[in-house]
Amino acid sequence: MRDVYIVGAGQSAYGAFPDESYRSLFAGAFEEAMASAGGVEAADIDEAVVGSLGVGGRQLGLSGPAVTEHIGLHGVPCSRIENACAASGYAVRQAVQAVKSGMADVVLAGGYEVMTDMSGDVGKYWLGVSGETEWERLTGTTFAGVYAQMASAYVDAYDASPDHFSKVAVKNHANGAKNPKAHLGFECSLDDARNAPVVADPLNLYHCCPTSDGAAAVLVASEDVASACDDAVRVAGVGAASDHVGLFQRDSYTTIESSERAATAAYEMAGLGPDDVDFAEVHDCFAIAELLAYEDLGFCERGHAPELVDSGATELGGDLPVNPSGGLKSKGHPIGATGAGQVVEAFKQLTGRAGDRQVAGANVGLTHNVGGSGGAAVVHVLEGGAL
Amino acid sequence: MRDVYIVGAGQSAYGAFPDESYRSLFAGAFEEAMASAGGVEAADIDEAVVGSLGVGGRQLGLSGPAVTEHIGLHGVPCSRIENACAASGYAVRQAVQAVKSGMADVVLAGGYEVMTDMSGDVGKYWLGVSGETEWERLTGTTFAGVYAQMASAYVDAYDASPDHFSKVAVKNHANGAKNPKAHLGFECSLDDARNAPVVADPLNLYHCCPTSDGAAAVLVASEDVASACDDAVRVAGVGAASDHVGLFQRDSYTTIESSERAATAAYEMAGLGPDDVDFAEVHDCFAIAELLAYEDLGFCERGHAPELVDSGATELGGDLPVNPSGGLKSKGHPIGATGAGQVVEAFKQLTGRAGDRQVAGANVGLTHNVGGSGGAAVVHVLEGGAL
């Protein structure tokens, strides 16, 4: 297998942008990715793979070729991946396979979503699309309701309280306030987070990510290409796994098994383990998801995530900063863009471009992207300074 | 790059199946694929990639993991590709890349669609989803209307008449009548095809494929795995390309440029040319599309497709049988299943399993799958008896 590198990465701002389309947002992300990639031209791109949930109207089929033609990549093969909220994490993985296969030297991977163009309360159904159909969505379970069941089970099983969810929110908002691309780029106090209105008990508004518009783009390249580039981050490991789509079909509500299996595979491929990770971007669609991620990714033992939160280790100045970008909670969650957007943050961190939120001495970063409540998961282990 | 093989393939019947779901249809296809693959067990499957347009209700997000869990492949990475009608042609291509990358040894590629569960005339909007949004779909252009513009331009430009479209229908129905899995598995006469009601002038009912329910599944494997299997068909070449999604943006209405580029790439990778092809499964969503395919795939010069039809060369007993399965016209067109279903037919032909419609001496087969009116295309060149 040949080695594969990320040689450029960019994203649009995440937020509510009534004047933008999925195409204009992706064009912005692509422009930033190209500008960051000294040594690669648009003409070098052999193919593209993009992620989007894509039920928000507009181009219902073939939106992949529609975005690539818009950014001037006329004719290159392009397909769209849908794996709910893990769409573009899987797109990056597919790009890695395309380069490793030898069929391509430079692949554009990315994603986009426009979520804020729905009137009234239609938006809340949006995320429900990622839930199981017959026994979750059609029975009226919202997507926050699915994660609320996991949160309740976790609080019952371990020494945890909703305050731990609030502390995750405070941490991620503190990071997002340092990220000019964040959707909710403001700090919040523990009292703000504690006293927010309930969404799905025990989760309140500050325990839930926003729905966002946005796009992200990543340039994945072979070693030959990367060696001629200004910066290159090695894709040391990739892992992916699926699970029962419906929460009710799983053995445990306090772990996301697909995350654990994806991480195990990614660590094994990288020859690295959780102790080697300097920072991580994890899928905190709801605050409980970040706690589960700590455990599923091996950052602590089962049931010890609350301790890890309390210790401050996952804050920006801590031993293992998690979600330095602000995470889905503060940076935002434009579904199809999220997984690639995590890789964008990792690229910035590993090439010293993360500004005020730079993790000091970052050499190994991990990204963790979940589809639905765990029906799909994908993990990348990325290594800086490798060329 | 390591060599990649198809070691098993199966499909559900195509048709209108109110008692079936996307999951049960896919389970049937998977079962046939496994039964055909002496030497591979379900436990050997490393990952799965499935194609579906997927706007027909049911599992709106994460239907990939939903079908793999249903067939017992719990936990394996699975993603869904959407590239309109080329979804599962691209899924097979992605599986080829996954095996070539060395990250997987056996990959399940396939697709599914349930299209006949809509009341009244909603079905006609279904295919329109694959058209361009602002200037085609939302202005009221049906998908048949898009291809009717191509058909009109072709008849204007060359020595062609609607009778050539009718002859394609007669040929494909004659083949489909020999295929027990065909949706419209009956013969039609030239008069039947000539005198059918107009759908979008100059295309009449017999010049249009049906909307179908169905699924298809293909097992893609490394050479090591294939060498231990009963039968193996080599993936000699793969090519893909995209184009402007909207027909009005293209230079020509009488060629599908993405098909031509995909074929050129596939032939180059295979070290073969159109003269080496013994039979082809081409994307005849409308009869004009089969004529364009003859030219775009290099089976004849520009403007000479009508002659090729008149000669009988593309009939089952001819020099270059096209759509021995019955094609989209007679076998059916369950969107997400179609591309993988073409590979299923090629596998059957190249391993002597095609029954009454067997192409004598078939050694090289080509499959050609188009998304929308050509926004995406993917071509596989497959070689029998290679191991």
Side-chain angles (χ1 to χ4, degrees), chain B:
Chain B
M1 278 199 278
R2 54 187 197 160
D3 265 355
V4 173
Y5 293 81
I6 311 291
V7 297
Q11 65 162 96
S12 72
Y14 289 178
F17 304 116
D19 294 338
E20 301 276 353
S21 75
Y22 69 103
R23 282 186 282 217
S24 65
L25 289 165
F26 192 76
F30 178 65
E31 198 179 330
E32 188 179 284
M34 290 309 299
S36 76
V40 171
E41 307 291 323
D44 299 328
I45 295 172
D46 297 311
E47 57 184 272
V49 51
V50 293
S52 175
L53 183 50
V55 296
R58 304 198 159 95
Q59 188 65 37
L60 299 176
L62 283 179
S63 68
V67 296
T68 44
E69 81 173 273
H70 183 70
I71 59 173
L73 297 184
H74 181 72
V76 303
C78 180
S79 53
R80 174 172 79 94
I81 287 196
E82 178 278 307
N83 229 353
C85 314
S88 64
Y90 271 82
V92 174
R93 179 174 183 270
Q94 184 178 332
V96 170
Q97 289 187 333
V99 173
K100 279 190 185 285
S101 78
M103 283 174 62
D105 290 317
V106 182
V107 179
L108 172 65
Y112 45 86
E113 212 76 62
V114 174
M115 303 179 70
T116 68
D117 61 339
M118 279 177 258
S119 58
D121 60 358
V122 177
K124 78 181 179 195
Y125 298 115
W126 235 103
L127 280 165
V129 162
S130 304
E132 194 275 346
T133 301
E134 287 90 351
W135 308 98
E136 289 179 354
R137 181 168 62 88
L138 299 183
T139 60
T141 309
T142 63
F143 201 55
V146 172
Y147 272 92
Q149 293 173 59
M150 299 165 91
S152 297
Y154 191 89
V155 168
D156 279 353
Y158 298 120
D159 188 15
S161 80
D163 252 17
H164 293 108
F165 307 150
S166 298
K167 287 180 183 176
V168 168
V170 171
K171 171 181 73 68
N172 289 350
H173 272 279
N175 296 348
K178 297 182 164 68
N179 185 349
K181 300 285 181 85
H183 185 174
L184 305 176
F186 51 82
E187 297 193 1
C188 75
S189 71
L190 190 55
D191 275 348
D192 291 337
R194 271 177 181 147
N195 300 323
V198 170
V199 172
D201 184 71
L203 301 177
N204 73 30
L205 189 64
Y206 269 93
H207 306 151
C208 304
C209 72
T211 53
S212 313
D213 306 329
V218 169
L219 291 159
V220 180
S222 65
E223 185 163 359
D224 278 357
V225 171
S227 62
C229 288
D230 293 347
D231 274 317
V233 165
R234 192 167 78 96
V235 182
V238 199
S242 63
D243 198 356
H244 298 294
V245 174
L247 186 59
F248 63 94
Q249 293 175 288
R250 302 192 200 141
D251 293 333
S252 167
Y253 277 34
T254 58
T255 173
I256 294 182
E257 209 181 296
S258 57
S259 294
E260 194 178 13
R261 276 200 302 268
T264 302
Y267 287 137
E268 191 185 321
M269 184 171 163
L272 296 169
D275 290 345
D276 300 306
V277 173
D278 297 319
F279 71 93
E281 286 284 307
V282 311
H283 198 90
D284 62 320
C285 48
F286 300 93
I288 177 63
E290 180 160 328
L291 298 187
L292 299 184
Y294 292 173
E295 301 175 10
D296 294 330
L297 301 172
F299 298 160
C300 64
E301 297 296 311
R302 293 262 162 241
H304 289 261
E307 257 178 74
L308 195 61
V309 170
D310 288 337
S311 76
T314 59
E315 293 171 15
L316 201 45
D319 283 348
L320 175 52
V322 172
N323 285 328
S325 72
L328 282 62
K329 175 68 196 86
S330 168
K331 182 187 176 191
H333 183 26
I335 298 182
T338 289
Q342 294 173 322
V343 176
V344 172
E345 177 69 11
F347 179 82
K348 289 183 179 178
Q349 291 286 352
L350 293 169
T351 57
R353 306 169 190 228
D356 290 347
R357 64 187 191 284
Q358 181 67 48
V359 175
N363 188 45
V364 174
L366 179 146
T367 63
H368 162 249
N369 186 203
V370 174
S373 61
V378 54
V379 169
H380 288 86
V381 176
L382 303 164
E383 203 177 358
L387 266 180

